[in-house]
Structures are given as C-alpha cells and as structure tokens.
Amino acid sequence: MTFDALDVWWWPYVFILVAGWLATDSWRFLGVYLGGRISEESDALVFVRCVATALVAAVIANLIVNPNGPLADTTLELRVFSAIVGFFAFLWFGKRVLVGIFVTEAVLIAGMILAAG
C-alpha cells in the first residue's frame, strides 16, 4: 500500500499516523524487551547512551548555530551566551534540567528584548 493508494482526504493522515507508529513504536517495544536483559554497566548500553547524548547535543548545537524563525534574527553571541548561562544554572541548581531550560530561555528573551529596544 502506498501514500497515493486511496483518493480520500483522510488517507494521508492515516498513512502518516500508521507509518509513524510502526517506525517508532516497534523500536520502543524492542528496547523495552531487550532493556530488561542488558546490564546497565554493559558496553552495549554505554554505547547506546553515548550515541543518544551525542544526538541530543548535535540537535542543540544545530539550533544554536543554524536557527530558523525569530531565533535567526538574534546574534550567535547571544545564543551561545544564553546556552552557557543556562548550562551553569543547570549545574548550580543540582543538575535540574528545567532550571537550565528556563534560565536559557530567560537570558535569550531578555537579550532579544534589549536588542529590539
């Protein structure tokens, strides 16, 4: 069955939902199934955690260096500075992710307001 198999308005939405569900949930189920059998200290799980962390870091770096939308109107210095301040807030407040996110956003928004005014 293909994306153009049916000529009704709802078919692309169903196709995307089913294809997206199969593509993501099959790996989730496999991860849950195998995750209980792998030791947290095993080389395989350490490798998986390293790859996942590297992917998140790459996405964040891409958002900082090559943003789009209103964030593209800000300077690179402001984006890097807000990320650094947010990271130090994350460390200072006991590695709380939400604190790091909120501080980063606050610094970024304040910088955008100051640059516009």
Side-chain angles (χ1 to χ4, degrees):
M1 188 154 281
T2 65
F3 181 75
D4 297 324
L6 298 176
D7 192 24
V8 291
W9 68 270
W10 50 265
W11 172 244
Y13 301 107
V14 171
F15 186 84
I16 290 169
L17 285 173
V18 170
W21 175 78
L22 286 175
T24 58
D25 279 359
S26 59
W27 290 106
R28 288 180 184 170
F29 294 141
L30 184 63
V32 169
Y33 176 73
L34 294 176
R37 293 170 167 62
I38 298 175
S39 168
E40 286 192 34
E41 309 302 323
S42 71
D43 290 338
L45 199 56
V46 170
F47 176 74
V48 168
R49 279 197 307 257
C50 289
V51 169
T53 303
L55 286 172
V56 170
V59 168
I60 292 170
N62 192 30
L63 288 172
I64 292 172
V65 176
N66 296 315
N68 53 7
L71 197 57
D73 296 335
T74 63
T75 64
L76 177 64
E77 291 81 12
L78 175 62
R79 295 189 302 265
V80 171
F81 178 71
S82 63
I84 291 170
V85 171
F87 178 68
F88 281 118
F90 163 78
L91 294 177
W92 182 265
F93 288 99
K95 296 186 178 180
R96 297 179 191 263
V97 176
L98 287 178
V99 170
I101 292 170
F102 288 137
V103 168
T104 301
E105 287 181 3
V107 171
L108 190 58
I109 291 170
M112 291 172 73
I113 291 170
L114 290 174

